[in-house]
Amino acid sequence: MVWVNAIVQGILLGGLYALFACGLSLMFGVMRVVNLAHGDLAVLAAYLALAVITGLHVPVLWSALVVAPLFGVVGYAVQRFVIQRSLDVSPLTTLLVTFGLSIVIQNVLLEGVSANSRSLPTGWLASASFQVNSQLSIAYESVIVFSVAVVVLSSLQLFLSRARLGRQVRAAADDLEAASIVGVNVRHVYGIAAAIAFATVALAGVAFGMYSSFDPAAGPQRLIFAFEAVVIGGVGSLWGTLLGGMILGVAQVLGAQVDSSFGVLAGHLVFLVLLALRPNGLIPARLA
Amino acid sequence: MTAGPLLELAGVSKRFGSIIVADSLSLVVRGGDAVGMVGPNGAGKTSLFSLISGDLSPNSGEVHFEGRAVTRLDSAQRCRLGIARTYQVPRSFEHMTVFENVLVAAYRGAGLRGHAASSLAAGVLDEADLRKQANSPASRLGLVQRKRLELARALGCKPRLLLLDEVAAGLTEPEVAGLVEVIERIRARGVAVIWVEHVVRALVGMVDRLICLAGGRIIGDGEPLAVLASPAVKDVFLGTSYGEASQT
Amino acid sequence: MRYGLLPALTNVSFTLAAGETVAMIGANGAGKSTLLRAIAGIHTPTAGSIRLEGRDITHLPAHRRVAAGIVLVPEGRRLFPSLTLEENLVIGSVPSRRGSWNVARVFELFPWMATRRARPVVYLSGGEQQAVAIGRALMANPTILLIDEMSLGLSPAVVRKLYDLLPELLAAGTTILLVEQDVTQALRVSDRAHCLLEGKITLSGRPRDLSPSDVEAAYFGLAKSTAGGRG
Amino acid sequence: MIESAPSATPQRVTRSRRSARWNAVAGAVAVAVLASLPYLVYANVTGVLVNLFILLSLATLWNLLAGYAGLISVGQQAYIGIGAYAVFVLADNGLSPFLAIPVAALVSGLVAVPASFLLLRLRREYFAIATWVVAEAVLLAVLRSDSLGGGTGATLRGLSDLDPALRQAYTYWAALAVAVATLLGTYLLLRSRVGLDLTAIRDNEIGARSVGVRVALAKGIVYFVAAAGAGAAGGVLIISQLFVQPTSVFSVQWSAYMIFVALIGGLGSIEGPIVGTVIFYMLQQTLADRGAWYLIILGSVAVLMAMWVPRGIWGLISDRFDLRLFPVGYFLHPARGTVKVKS
């Protein structure tokens, strides 16, 4: 029963990782950019949510409705003015530039809010859970986060497959030049993809802040977990990302079951082994 | 010298998804041969070069060089065995000087060291008429000089089989004549040459065998003018019913 | 329309009149594709200018040229593999230009498409893919349609079928610039033809005024007098 | 039979356009002056310079990876940490910490060999993050190890009976030696045929392969050298601090330092990281009492440089003055007089 519990918790944790990963996956799938500042953006979003909650006295879920759209706008601007420019220089430059942004965000946070760790106040949700049986209890929070992840992934999937703009995103991901000659404004579409990615990472940041405490240096590990989920699941495949997140979550929780300090390491080892065996991920697929 | 063929392709096929770039190709080239290759866009000429040079590995079939199976060797290994190629879009080392570009080839492709390597490189630059540019970075060369650098770098590998992919494209008439002279000299040293070119007149003047490729298959192989005159080849180049059109 | 210098092209100038079909023939490597891609806005010419109805569009990005009515059917089809057949057509209407083309009319033109509308395009044959590429371009209601190597990799029967569609497109007043290796087909359907060799126009005229031997000579670059010799 | 090379006209090859003798003399003088500093200045100055030398070594090696082999690693801190812990273990077993530095370099290099089999197969984005994951995995393994002190860290033994002034001087010389060895090693590597291979690979990997360059081998050599150098720097680090704390020695902050320094100074030249280190040092000193601001400014400058001045400050300098302190090129001259003539 201990193991069943671990697997259930791991799967639910995987929802959070998938939420982190879908923006990364989208940006890599569409414009071949790995945003190394991804995790730090999530942490930044968590701090912003905290400011909204304490400033406006609203519950945590409402703060997400403020932070996510704001991040969307920022994402569009960052894509058009920073990432696009570095893409024009060389693909290596995007890595260096986003890494630089990562360090800058971390240290701005460090200066602005100190290194103390914080967490988002979730009120009664914090301790609420339902008991499946004597050994298996599930926290409402994890269920909410998992559901949010599934809803976000489904909406994204729906957007890409049905919406006019979503179709343009897929076309630009398939063939940049062909997209431009059928009249798609590729730079705008890239901006839209980045806006979505930033909005989802903001949601992930808020969810993360509900789940556990955070501090300015928490970003890189979020990035790594997100990337591991993407690679395990297969780049550009959204449902693969959910699967990847769940595999990573289960590996971490099972690892922690063996030895409390072995959890994260177990996740890394699963990732490295899979990377060695299948460099293209479990479900190699095109976007959507 | 061995009596066997220099290069032998046996039933080589290569697909990219549903596109077939080489359809069970078989081909024999002997030492010192000068072979021209023509074909419409997408006929698979450059892919065939890549299959010979090792930039691509075939889905099926075997490639033998001097009697040795090289199908599973990469392009660097094949180069060190004596197969050198040029690329249609030059792959110069932009931030290195012209001399250094060729020197890498002399060190690695030809396996020479020290003075022997720099002598070879210098000689090759003379041959390709790039001696004056020896110390300027490759990024400063114009397109025509870049094409010459491609040739020089391939020669720097001291190949026994040289694959030339459109080295004459964009050259003026006298430049093409000069290039043909250079390639004649290379041939005279016993190096086999396979030359893909759209400037058909450059080819016809120099090769003693012409291969026409279409749809990943060989549709003509033999004496150049005879190949160009054959109905199958005319069909591929000038259209399905060119004969009909010319009668009206 | 005027057109100038690119590395692969030297000082090429020509004009298109509304409603005519012009063929650009020549061996590969002659610069034909480069020319079409420059008109479509993928490359910017190093010198010279491109004008559409008197307006200078030399520096207009590709997607805005589509909105202005210049639409390219690219070499190798360039369909979107992760989009279905119908989506590949629908995305052609992104610039939302006014006109009579829509999915239903494309299906009228190619009835087989209707039954396979939800299929990914990778499962279509080469000829079918080419038809989708043409349909996609028509969805933008082009005033100038640029067609690059329509016959490439297709069987003669399919090529003929595709070319037989052109008059129907022309009926809508569309101007067509064809780049083609299949000389016979190109000459059959065009009002005027230019032969491009090594980046220069070497021969121009109405198809009926061009003799087959002139075309052959211009095409291979073998001057008639030396074609028989080795030199 | 095939004739050998086409006959070459008489020629002579040098490694720089001008004579490099004065560069060598100036370099030797600079090293001699730096080496005599412990006799001339207070220990707080040499203490700062120790950190500067560590950074210079790391940035030089990262530049070798990224600027020459095109390998963007954000996980070199793995080898810094391995080097530091190797010195700790060796000193614990009675070896002098100073003598342990070269051994630590070797240990780091040897760990890099199996890692390189996994990492060098990956494409650039995958490579970057996988190096980071490897560094995290090593950190987590160290945290779990009681014999290495776990999360609390480890204190270096074997230097307590040494006079503090002498210890500081020895530490300074060790740091200087590692920096000089790194620069000289990088210079010699780039001057060798491997250097030519690397430049060719960076400019055009397919082209390099097509002229016979063993791409995987060349990248493997660079990865090994960069890991060994980072290990040596880590060894100096533990000696200078007498203590190693795992989350700090394995911190990605190290990657930030080396990347920013190399980007600002200029990727793809030996001089770039030297220039970058000096700028870093000046900025750090100016903003010393303003916490993390120097990193924020440095990071922002590095980002802007990467986008708008990809070859960095040294790129601007060398373009304007045609200057090279470390000539690694080959120049072909017509022969003069009796110098090596071959017909």
Side-chain angles (χ1 to χ4, degrees):
Chain A
M1 206 59 217
V2 175
W3 298 101
V4 174
N5 184 45
I7 288 170
V8 171
Q9 304 299 346
I11 288 173
L12 290 174
L13 182 61
L16 177 63
Y17 293 158
L19 196 53
F20 268 109
C22 72
L24 198 70
S25 177
L26 186 67
M27 283 183 73
F28 191 52
V30 177
M31 41 233 169
R32 303 271 124 201
V33 167
V34 169
N35 177 9
L36 294 182
H38 194 76
D40 307 289
L41 288 167
V43 174
L44 181 64
Y47 276 105
L48 272 179
L50 188 61
V52 170
I53 292 166
T54 49
L56 302 177
H57 305 289
V58 291
V60 65
L61 295 176
W62 288 103
S63 72
L65 295 182
V66 177
V67 177
L70 181 69
F71 262 61
V73 175
V74 171
Y76 188 88
V78 168
Q79 172 62 35
R80 291 298 295 258
F81 298 114
V82 180
I83 298 178
Q84 186 65 53
R85 167 69 209 171
S86 53
L87 266 176
D88 293 344
V89 178
S90 80
L92 288 183
T93 309
T94 60
L95 277 176
L96 299 174
V97 164
T98 55
F99 181 76
L101 287 180
S102 151
I103 299 294
V104 169
I105 294 173
Q106 274 176 50
N107 286 286
V108 166
L109 282 176
L110 192 64
E111 283 298 308
V113 298
S114 88
N116 298 334
S117 66
R118 308 293 299 267
S119 59
L120 296 181
T122 49
W124 63 273
L125 264 180
S127 51
S129 63
F130 60 93
Q131 210 73 27
V132 179
N133 60 35
S134 61
Q135 278 150 320
L136 182 58
S137 87
I138 295 172
Y140 282 141
E141 265 181 14
S142 0
V143 176
I144 290 174
V145 169
F146 189 84
S147 316
V148 168
V150 172
V151 168
V152 166
L153 285 168
S154 312
S155 331
L156 195 51
Q157 180 80 45
L158 210 61
F159 166 76
L160 288 172
S161 60
R162 295 289 155 80
R164 195 176 149 78
L165 208 49
R167 207 157 42 222
Q168 294 184 32
V169 171
R170 278 189 290 150
D174 272 357
D175 188 334
L176 194 63
E177 194 178 282
S180 74
I181 60 163
V182 300
V184 174
N185 182 351
V186 174
R187 288 179 180 230
H188 173 66
V189 164
Y190 273 12
I192 296 293
I196 296 170
F198 274 52
T200 60
V201 82
L203 289 179
V206 175
F208 168 54
M210 290 164 59
Y211 235 91
S212 60
S213 62
F214 52 89
D215 61 76
Q221 194 161 52
R222 300 296 116 193
L223 166 74
I224 289 180
F225 292 166
F227 188 80
E228 288 177 342
V230 171
V231 171
I232 293 172
V235 169
S237 151
L238 289 174
W239 295 120
T241 300
L242 182 61
L243 178 68
M246 294 195 302
I247 292 175
L248 182 65
V250 170
Q252 288 185 355
V253 177
L254 285 182
Q257 199 69 51
V258 175
D259 177 335
S260 65
S261 67
F262 185 62
V264 176
L265 185 55
H268 291 335
L269 294 179
V270 166
F271 164 74
L272 289 173
V273 167
L274 278 172
L275 200 60
L277 298 178
R278 299 178 139 259
N280 295 321
L282 292 181
I283 308 178
R286 289 184 170 272
L287 200 67
Chain B
M1 179 164 259
T2 49
L6 182 70
L7 174 76
E8 189 174 0
L9 271 68
V12 170
S13 295
K14 180 72 185 175
R15 290 181 305 276
F16 292 106
S18 61
I19 300 164
I20 297 167
V21 294
D23 189 357
S24 192
L25 281 174
S26 294
L27 177 66
V28 170
V29 175
R30 295 183 182 280
D33 273 2
V35 182
M37 197 176 290
V38 293
N41 265 342
K45 295 168 305 220
T46 296
S47 302
L48 176 58
F49 268 20
S50 296
L51 287 164
I52 298 173
S53 71
D55 288 313
L56 288 178
S57 51
N59 297 112
S60 60
E62 290 290 325
V63 182
H64 288 261
F65 184 69
E66 295 185 322
R68 177 178 168 174
V70 296
T71 321
R72 260 153 288 280
L73 300 186
D74 73 1
S75 58
Q77 288 165 311
R78 293 194 205 182
C79 173
R80 294 195 293 272
L81 288 177
I83 304 177
R85 74 170 291 185
T86 71
Y87 291 89
Q88 202 174 337
V89 177
R91 294 190 176 275
S92 334
F93 308 131
E94 296 289 296
H95 299 95
M96 291 164 63
T97 66
V98 167
F99 177 61
E100 288 164 356
N101 265 268
V102 182
L103 196 60
V104 185
Y107 279 147
R108 300 310 185 192
L112 298 176
R113 283 166 160 264
H115 193 67
S118 39
S119 279
L120 173 66
V124 162
L125 287 184
D126 281 337
E127 195 155 37
D129 195 19
L130 281 170
R131 186 62 176 259
K132 278 198 211 72
Q133 289 81 21
N135 295 330
S136 47
S139 56
R140 294 220 191 117
L141 298 186
L143 183 70
V144 171
Q145 287 172 330
R146 264 166 213 256
K147 293 259 178 189
R148 286 211 208 111
L149 179 56
E150 281 289 304
L151 175 63
R153 218 169 52 177
L155 289 178
C157 300
K158 255 173 94 179
R160 280 185 295 284
L161 172 64
L162 180 61
L163 309 172
L164 301 173
D165 198 349
E166 298 196 24
V167 280
L171 301 192
T172 63
E173 207 114 348
E175 283 170 337
V176 171
L179 187 69
V180 167
E181 228 170 83
V182 172
I183 295 171
E184 291 276 15
R185 269 210 303 280
I186 296 161
R187 252 198 88 192
R189 293 205 294 271
V191 177
V193 176
I194 307 180
W195 188 3
V196 163
E197 198 60 72
H198 292 308
V199 188
V200 177
R201 73 188 127 83
L203 280 186
V204 172
M206 130 102 214
V207 300
D208 30 44
R209 174 179 165 197
L210 190 69
I211 293 175
C212 181
L213 221 57
R217 291 174 197 219
I218 293 174
I219 60 160
D221 184 353
E223 203 278 322
L225 288 172
V227 168
L228 279 182
S230 79
V233 172
K234 270 201 172 166
D235 244 26
V236 159
F237 276 104
L238 296 172
T240 40
S241 46
Y242 188 74
E244 293 164 38
S246 53
Q247 279 152 24
T248 52
Chain C
M1 192 175 333
R2 291 159 49 74
Y3 189 71
L5 200 85
L6 270 173
L9 291 170
T10 320
N11 207 5
V12 173
S13 293
F14 67 96
T15 58
L16 286 176
E20 70 171 345
T21 301
V22 174
M24 194 62 73
I25 57 177
N28 40 13
K32 296 169 300 178
S33 290
T34 314
L35 181 66
L36 280 202
R37 289 160 65 83
I39 300 173
I42 300 168
H43 303 308
T44 316
T46 41
S49 65
I50 303 170
R51 274 171 219 281
L52 176 69
E53 291 160 352
R55 174 177 162 222
D56 190 343
I57 56 163
T58 318
H59 297 287
L60 210 60
H63 69 272
R64 299 203 28 216
R65 292 196 201 195
V66 182
I70 301 179
V71 183
L72 172 67
V73 180
E75 182 184 343
R77 279 81 81 171
R78 305 288 286 270
L79 299 179
F80 302 108
S82 56
L83 272 58
T84 63
L85 190 161
E86 188 172 0
E87 287 178 319
N88 265 285
L89 293 178
V90 171
I91 201 154
S93 62
V94 164
S96 52
R97 287 169 50 79
R98 227 177 304 160
S100 61
W101 287 102
N102 55 31
V103 175
R105 255 201 87 191
V106 174
F107 285 176
E108 258 172 53
L109 198 60
F110 305 103
W112 58 267
M113 283 184 186
T115 55
R116 283 185 256 178
R117 61 204 298 167
R119 289 261 196 101
V121 285
V122 282
Y123 298 122
L124 300 179
S125 74
E128 290 165 343
Q129 290 191 10
Q130 186 67 66
V132 176
I134 294 170
R136 182 178 70 180
L138 292 176
M139 291 287 290
N141 292 298
T143 45
I144 298 179
L145 188 61
L146 310 168
I147 305 179
D148 196 356
E149 306 283 18
M150 183 147 77
S151 67
L152 204 67
L154 303 183
S155 75
V158 172
V159 173
R160 192 169 267 271
K161 234 186 237 168
L162 288 172
Y163 271 105
D164 288 343
L165 291 167
L166 288 187
E168 201 160 336
L169 311 184
L170 284 167
T174 315
T175 307
I176 299 177
L177 179 59
L178 286 175
V179 148
E180 190 50 88
Q181 287 185 92
D182 190 333
V183 177
T184 316
Q185 289 298 347
L187 293 183
R188 198 167 63 86
V189 298
S190 58
D191 302 319
R192 279 192 299 141
H194 302 287
C195 192
L196 207 59
L197 181 71
E198 292 165 47
K200 295 178 196 114
I201 291 181
T202 51
L203 187 71
S204 299
R206 296 173 167 282
R208 61 168 171 274
D209 302 335
L210 303 174
S211 80
S213 57
D214 284 343
V215 173
E216 194 175 329
Y219 191 96
F220 285 120
L222 297 164
K224 266 188 275 182
S225 53
T226 59
R230 305 272 310 258
Chain D
M1 272 314 287
I2 296 164
E3 272 177 46
S4 59
S7 60
T9 50
Q11 44 88 23
R12 186 173 66 94
V13 174
T14 63
R15 302 305 302 271
S16 69
R17 210 178 276 276
R18 293 179 283 270
S19 167
R21 191 177 304 146
W22 291 111
N23 292 1
V25 171
V29 169
V31 171
V33 169
L34 286 171
S36 62
L37 278 186
Y39 299 106
L40 306 173
V41 299
Y42 291 111
N44 59 345
V45 176
T46 57
V48 169
L49 286 176
V50 166
N51 291 329
L52 190 110
F53 290 146
I54 291 174
L55 185 61
L56 175 61
S57 312
L58 292 174
T60 300
L61 294 163
W62 190 83
N63 173 52
L64 186 63
L65 275 177
Y68 286 91
L71 298 168
I72 303 275
S73 167
V74 282
Q76 291 307 100
Q77 59 270 22
Y79 303 108
I80 303 176
I82 290 171
Y85 275 98
V87 167
F88 162 75
V89 171
L90 290 165
D92 235 19
N93 288 298
L95 189 66
S96 152
F98 295 104
L99 293 179
I101 291 175
V103 186
L106 190 65
V107 170
S108 283
L110 290 179
V111 173
V113 173
S116 74
F117 290 135
L118 169 67
L119 295 169
L120 291 178
R121 297 188 313 150
L122 305 174
R123 274 171 41 90
R124 50 180 178 258
E125 296 86 5
Y126 285 58
F127 175 82
I129 297 195
T131 55
W132 203 345
V133 173
V134 168
E136 289 288 304
V138 176
L139 164 65
L140 292 169
V142 169
L143 286 176
R144 284 167 52 80
S145 160
D146 293 333
S147 61
L148 296 177
T152 45
T155 305
L156 182 66
R157 262 163 290 186
L159 289 176
S160 46
D161 46 350
L162 210 58
D163 172 58
L166 205 55
R167 181 176 61 78
Q168 273 156 355
Y170 282 159
T171 306
Y172 173 81
W173 283 319
L176 179 63
V178 168
V180 170
T182 304
L183 277 175
L184 206 62
T186 303
Y187 174 53
L188 292 177
L189 183 70
L190 290 177
R191 257 179 90 94
S192 75
R193 286 178 296 161
V194 176
L196 212 54
D197 291 348
L198 288 173
T199 321
I201 292 168
R202 182 195 59 187
D203 282 359
N204 197 315
E205 191 165 323
I206 294 174
R209 213 170 255 137
S210 83
V211 295
V213 173
R214 290 174 171 89
V215 173
L217 181 68
K219 284 187 177 176
I221 290 172
V222 168
Y223 192 74
F224 173 85
V225 168
V236 175
L237 188 72
I238 188 178
I239 290 173
S240 74
Q241 297 178 342
L242 296 176
F243 181 72
V244 61
Q245 215 271 318
T247 48
S248 123
V249 80
F250 287 107
S251 163
V252 73
Q253 203 94 326
W254 286 110
S255 280
Y257 292 147
M258 41 188 133
I259 292 176
F260 293 166
V261 164
L263 278 182
I264 292 174
L267 272 184
S269 67
I270 301 176
E271 297 89 342
I274 301 177
V275 174
T277 306
V278 172
I279 292 170
F280 176 93
Y281 170 79
M282 292 191 312
L283 208 60
Q284 196 184 31
Q285 295 303 302
T286 321
L287 299 167
D289 46 355
R290 304 194 142 244
W293 275 103
Y294 77 98
L295 251 181
I296 296 170
I297 292 174
L298 202 72
S300 312
V301 172
V303 164
L304 291 173
M305 298 279 291
M307 282 162 53
W308 301 101
V309 195
R311 293 183 56 226
I313 290 177
W314 182 257
L316 296 177
I317 296 175
S318 67
D319 281 354
R320 169 128 343 152
F321 304 106
D322 191 23
L323 198 61
R324 294 220 165 274
L325 302 182
F326 295 91
V328 295
Y330 294 79
F331 288 89
L332 183 64
H333 308 270
R336 274 200 309 242
T338 56
V339 191
K340 288 184 193 167
V341 173
K342 191 193 175 185
S343 51

